Amino acid sequence: MTLAIVCPLVLLGGVVDAVAGGGGLITLPSYLIAGVPPHLAIATNQLSAAIGSTASTVRLWRNGFVNVALALPAALFGFLGSVGGARITLLVPEGVLRYVLLVLLPVVAVVVMRRKNLAAKEREMPWNRRWLLVAACSLACGLYNGFYGPGSGTFTLLAFTTVAGMGLKDASGDMKIWNLSANIASIITFALSGQMWWLVGCVAGVFGMAGHYVGAGLVLKDGTRIVRPVIVLVLVILFVRTALELAGVIA
């Protein structure tokens, strides 16, 4: 039953992520809608997200969208930040975390769907300063990724382009390297704490890869018009299910 609910939504999340970003706003709620406890939901979502985004990461690497010199600090500090964020999440009681997620989900959804256009060209900046800014942005976004997850790729891309002054091409590739490293850090941290549903995460990850593949092949004039109602619908389902659960109507 869990796979029947999660896999189609993770597939849809992969399509949305490839088209316009924000797929995590669909994939994490899918686990919660299926009744997976919050800690386990966040952990397993990180696993399926890492598997789902691997294909697009490799594709960007092969096509020269990765600035290796900046990808290294992005990966390192993203890893460290994500470990810290995951450990903070594990300290939050399950009942409290459920309410935290309900507050964060709509807030992040609004921020992601209203994000500004990204700068296509790189800003002139001393190398050492750019390196430090990339490291700082990676650490901060890594903390958020480990603690919660959805929207972290979008936030990191915005940080790389607006704060670190990177061009969109390098920022997109380095963000993918950061994202994969941060997800791996979260997976390790949650797994060592016994909070990982390996079977569901791996199966859902395959559906996520399929979604990324389908989304990458779509030619849409305005993907946002499709993405927004899908995200809103999933959030509404999550809120209704949680309300019924709190009311004692469902277990």
Side-chain angles (χ1 to χ4, degrees), residues 57-68 168-174:
T57 303
V58 173
R59 184 176 181 181
L60 287 174
W61 179 288
R62 288 181 174 176
N63 285 275
F65 277 69
V66 175
N67 184 328
V68 177
L168 184 57
K169 178 181 177 180
D170 286 346
S172 298
D174 289 356

Side-chain angles (χ1 to χ4, degrees), residues 32-57:
L32 298 173
I33 290 171
V36 180
H39 290 107
L40 194 59
I42 293 175
T44 310
N45 181 59
Q46 293 279 8
L47 175 59
S48 60
I51 295 173
S53 64
T54 299
S56 58
T57 303

Side-chain angles (χ1 to χ4, degrees), residues 2 6 27-46 89-90 92-99 101 147-148 190 194-197 200 238 241-242 245 251:
T2 300
V6 169
T27 59
L28 178 57
S30 73
Y31 289 98
L32 298 173
I33 290 171
V36 180
H39 290 107
L40 194 59
I42 293 175
T44 310
N45 181 59
Q46 293 279 8
T89 298
L90 291 169
V92 180
E94 182 178 307
V96 175
L97 185 59
R98 187 179 298 277
Y99 287 103
L101 297 187
F147 180 78
Y148 181 48
F190 282 116
Q195 296 288 346
M196 182 63 69
W197 200 345
V200 172
L238 173 61
R241 189 199 185 286
T242 304
E245 187 179 62

Side-chain angles (χ1 to χ4, degrees), residues 93-157:
E94 182 178 307
V96 175
L97 185 59
R98 187 179 298 277
Y99 287 103
V100 171
L101 297 187
L102 286 177
V103 173
L104 279 176
L105 272 169
V107 173
V108 174
V110 170
V111 173
V112 170
M113 291 190 287
R114 291 175 61 88
R115 69 185 186 275
K116 298 179 181 179
N117 293 329
L118 302 170
K121 295 182 179 180
E122 180 179 317
R123 291 202 318 266
E124 291 294 329
M125 183 182 299
W127 174 256
N128 291 342
R129 181 183 177 189
R130 192 189 306 280
W131 195 97
L132 290 173
L133 288 174
V134 167
C137 292
S138 300
L139 182 65
C141 293
L143 280 168
Y144 170 78
N145 181 78
F147 180 78
Y148 181 48
S152 59
T154 299
F155 295 152
T156 306
L157 189 59

Side-chain angles (χ1 to χ4, degrees), residues 220-240:
L220 299 173
K221 293 183 178 179
D222 189 0
T224 304
R225 291 187 177 181
I226 297 175
V227 171
R228 289 181 177 178
V230 169
I231 291 176
V232 171
L233 176 61
V234 173
L235 291 178
V236 168
I237 294 174
L238 173 61
F239 274 98
V240 170

